[in-house]
Amino acid sequence: MIALSLSSVSLTLGARSIFANLTWEIQHDQRIGLIGPNGAGKSSLFKLIIGEHAPELGGAVIKAKGVAVGYLPQDPDFDPASTALAVALSGNTRLIEVESQLAGIDSRLADPVVYNNPKALARTLEDQQRLLDEFAALGGEGYESRVRTTLLGLGLRETDFDKPIGVLSGGQKKLVGLARLMMAQPSVLLLDEPDNHLDLAGKAYLERLIINYPGAVAIISHDRYLLDAVVTHIAEIEDGKLTTFAG
């Protein structure tokens, strides 16, 4: 099943043509290595997919119904005052919304106006059960523990979890951004050199995350060993053209 497709896409930045009439399909279960020379347009292609760049007239980026796209840029930008752990925890935005709504329901249940009104109480309890079911489906139990495990697995030290992200290095910010994105679990992951700044243990952990990811992954990397380990397909961009092949 096609998760995302590009049809006759052309991109010009300033006076430079990045690519022309490019067509690409990403299947829902593919893990794709996007390769090509520096300056070929790999990052620009990802930015076009997420809407940061707009294709020339006549081109289209088409997402299947219900498909969400997550993007990890080379240099993630976060609120410098937020802690590393808080940023990573914010990945699953729907889970955060559900937790907030459940807290609101707890307040309503403590209100005598609701508690002493059978109809209002019944409606509130129904809302609570619906949200509890969604909370469980989203993996709310143990969520923070999974975030911490992911951060540690990627190589961020626990002593850095509660530091403002503004004081962390660029590489550490990227680790946090990668963990945050993994918690969001979008249908399609676009990863721009996620292995930069990872040690061998971190790269091994990243390999497992990508291999086991329940969706499509497209990754830009110059590490041939990482690509050999995780991808099912290669997409090569050069001279404004995209060529894809299995393996």
Side-chain angles (χ1 to χ4, degrees), residues 66-87:
V67 166
V69 178
Y71 170 55
L72 179 71
Q74 289 190 33
D75 300 301
D77 185 25
F78 303 115
D79 177 359
S82 294
T83 67
L85 180 60
V87 170

CSV table of all heavy atoms in Angstrom, one decimal, residues 66-87:
chain,number,residue,atom,x,y,z
A,66,GLY,N,-5.1,9.3,6.4
A,66,GLY,CA,-4.6,9.0,7.7
A,66,GLY,C,-3.1,8.9,7.9
A,66,GLY,O,-2.7,8.6,9.0
A,67,VAL,N,-2.4,9.2,6.9
A,67,VAL,CA,-0.9,9.1,7.0
A,67,VAL,C,-0.3,10.4,7.6
A,67,VAL,O,-0.6,11.5,7.1
A,67,VAL,CB,-0.3,8.8,5.6
A,67,VAL,CG1,1.2,9.1,5.6
A,67,VAL,CG2,-0.5,7.4,5.1
A,68,ALA,N,0.5,10.2,8.6
A,68,ALA,CA,1.2,11.3,9.2
A,68,ALA,C,2.7,11.1,8.9
A,68,ALA,O,3.2,10.0,8.9
A,68,ALA,CB,0.9,11.3,10.7
A,69,VAL,N,3.3,12.3,8.7
A,69,VAL,CA,4.8,12.2,8.4
A,69,VAL,C,5.5,12.9,9.5
A,69,VAL,O,5.2,14.0,9.9
A,69,VAL,CB,5.0,12.9,7.0
A,69,VAL,CG1,6.5,13.0,6.7
A,69,VAL,CG2,4.3,12.3,5.9
A,70,GLY,N,6.6,12.2,10.0
A,70,GLY,CA,7.5,12.8,11.0
A,70,GLY,C,8.9,13.0,10.4
A,70,GLY,O,9.3,12.2,9.6
A,71,TYR,N,9.5,14.2,10.7
A,71,TYR,CA,10.7,14.6,10.1
A,71,TYR,C,11.8,14.9,11.2
A,71,TYR,O,11.5,15.7,12.1
A,71,TYR,CB,10.5,15.8,9.2
A,71,TYR,CG,11.7,16.5,8.7
A,71,TYR,CD1,12.7,15.8,7.9
A,71,TYR,CD2,11.9,17.8,8.8
A,71,TYR,CE1,13.8,16.4,7.4
A,71,TYR,CE2,13.0,18.5,8.3
A,71,TYR,CZ,13.9,17.8,7.6
A,71,TYR,OH,15.0,18.4,7.1
A,72,LEU,N,12.9,14.3,11.1
A,72,LEU,CA,14.1,14.7,11.9
A,72,LEU,C,15.1,15.4,11.0
A,72,LEU,O,15.8,14.8,10.2
A,72,LEU,CB,14.7,13.5,12.5
A,72,LEU,CG,15.9,13.8,13.4
A,72,LEU,CD1,15.5,14.5,14.7
A,72,LEU,CD2,16.7,12.5,13.7
A,73,PRO,N,15.2,16.8,11.2
A,73,PRO,CA,16.2,17.5,10.4
A,73,PRO,C,17.6,17.3,11.0
A,73,PRO,O,17.8,16.7,12.0
A,73,PRO,CB,15.8,19.0,10.6
A,73,PRO,CG,15.1,19.0,11.9
A,73,PRO,CD,14.5,17.6,12.1
A,74,GLN,N,18.6,17.8,10.2
A,74,GLN,CA,20.0,17.6,10.7
A,74,GLN,C,20.2,18.4,11.9
A,74,GLN,O,21.0,18.0,12.8
A,74,GLN,CB,20.9,18.1,9.6
A,74,GLN,CG,21.0,17.2,8.4
A,74,GLN,CD,22.1,17.5,7.4
A,74,GLN,OE1,23.2,18.0,7.9
A,74,GLN,NE2,22.0,17.3,6.1
A,75,ASP,N,19.5,19.5,12.1
A,75,ASP,CA,19.8,20.4,13.3
A,75,ASP,C,18.4,20.7,13.9
A,75,ASP,O,17.8,21.8,13.6
A,75,ASP,CB,20.5,21.7,12.9
A,75,ASP,CG,21.9,21.4,12.3
A,75,ASP,OD1,22.7,20.8,13.0
A,75,ASP,OD2,22.1,21.8,11.1
A,76,PRO,N,17.9,19.9,14.7
A,76,PRO,CA,16.6,20.1,15.3
A,76,PRO,C,16.6,21.4,16.2
A,76,PRO,O,17.6,21.8,16.8
A,76,PRO,CB,16.3,18.9,16.2
A,76,PRO,CG,17.3,17.9,15.7
A,76,PRO,CD,18.5,18.6,15.2
A,77,ASP,N,15.4,22.1,16.2
A,77,ASP,CA,15.3,23.3,16.9
A,77,ASP,C,14.2,23.2,18.0
A,77,ASP,O,13.0,23.0,17.6
A,77,ASP,CB,15.0,24.5,15.9
A,77,ASP,CG,14.9,25.8,16.6
A,77,ASP,OD1,15.6,26.0,17.7
A,77,ASP,OD2,14.3,26.7,16.1
A,78,PHE,N,14.5,23.3,19.3
A,78,PHE,CA,13.5,23.2,20.3
A,78,PHE,C,13.6,24.4,21.2
A,78,PHE,O,14.5,25.2,21.2
A,78,PHE,CB,13.8,21.9,21.2
A,78,PHE,CG,13.8,20.7,20.4
A,78,PHE,CD1,15.0,19.9,20.2
A,78,PHE,CD2,12.7,20.2,19.7
A,78,PHE,CE1,15.0,18.7,19.5
A,78,PHE,CE2,12.7,19.0,19.0
A,78,PHE,CZ,13.9,18.3,18.9
A,79,ASP,N,12.5,24.6,22.1
A,79,ASP,CA,12.5,25.6,23.1
A,79,ASP,C,13.7,25.4,24.0
A,79,ASP,O,13.8,24.4,24.7
A,79,ASP,CB,11.2,25.5,23.9
A,79,ASP,CG,11.2,26.6,25.0
A,79,ASP,OD1,12.1,27.4,25.2
A,79,ASP,OD2,10.1,26.6,25.7
A,80,PRO,N,14.7,26.4,24.0
A,80,PRO,CA,15.9,26.2,24.8
A,80,PRO,C,15.7,26.0,26.3
A,80,PRO,O,16.6,25.5,27.0
A,80,PRO,CB,16.7,27.4,24.4
A,80,PRO,CG,15.8,28.4,24.0
A,80,PRO,CD,14.7,27.7,23.3
A,81,ALA,N,14.6,26.5,26.8
A,81,ALA,CA,14.3,26.4,28.2
A,81,ALA,C,13.7,25.0,28.6
A,81,ALA,O,13.7,24.7,29.8
A,81,ALA,CB,13.3,27.5,28.6
A,82,SER,N,13.2,24.3,27.7
A,82,SER,CA,12.6,23.0,28.0
A,82,SER,C,13.7,21.9,28.3
A,82,SER,O,14.8,22.0,27.7
A,82,SER,CB,11.8,22.4,26.8
A,82,SER,OG,10.6,23.2,26.6
A,83,THR,N,13.4,21.0,29.2
A,83,THR,CA,14.4,20.0,29.5
A,83,THR,C,14.5,19.0,28.4
A,83,THR,O,13.5,18.8,27.6
A,83,THR,CB,14.2,19.3,30.8
A,83,THR,OG1,12.9,18.6,30.7
A,83,THR,CG2,14.1,20.3,31.9
A,84,ALA,N,15.5,18.2,28.3
A,84,ALA,CA,15.7,17.2,27.3
A,84,ALA,C,14.6,16.1,27.5
A,84,ALA,O,13.9,15.7,26.5
A,84,ALA,CB,17.0,16.5,27.4
A,85,LEU,N,14.3,15.7,28.7
A,85,LEU,CA,13.2,14.7,28.9
A,85,LEU,C,11.9,15.3,28.5
A,85,LEU,O,11.1,14.6,27.9
A,85,LEU,CB,13.2,14.3,30.4
A,85,LEU,CG,12.2,13.3,30.8
A,85,LEU,CD1,12.4,12.0,30.0
A,85,LEU,CD2,12.2,13.0,32.3
A,86,ALA,N,11.6,16.5,28.9
A,86,ALA,CA,10.3,17.1,28.5
A,86,ALA,C,10.1,17.2,27.0
A,86,ALA,O,9.0,16.9,26.5
A,86,ALA,CB,10.2,18.5,29.1
A,87,VAL,N,11.1,17.5,26.3
A,87,VAL,CA,11.0,17.5,24.8
A,87,VAL,C,10.7,16.2,24.3
A,87,VAL,O,9.9,16.0,23.4
A,87,VAL,CB,12.3,18.1,24.2
A,87,VAL,CG1,12.3,17.9,22.7
A,87,VAL,CG2,12.4,19.6,24.5
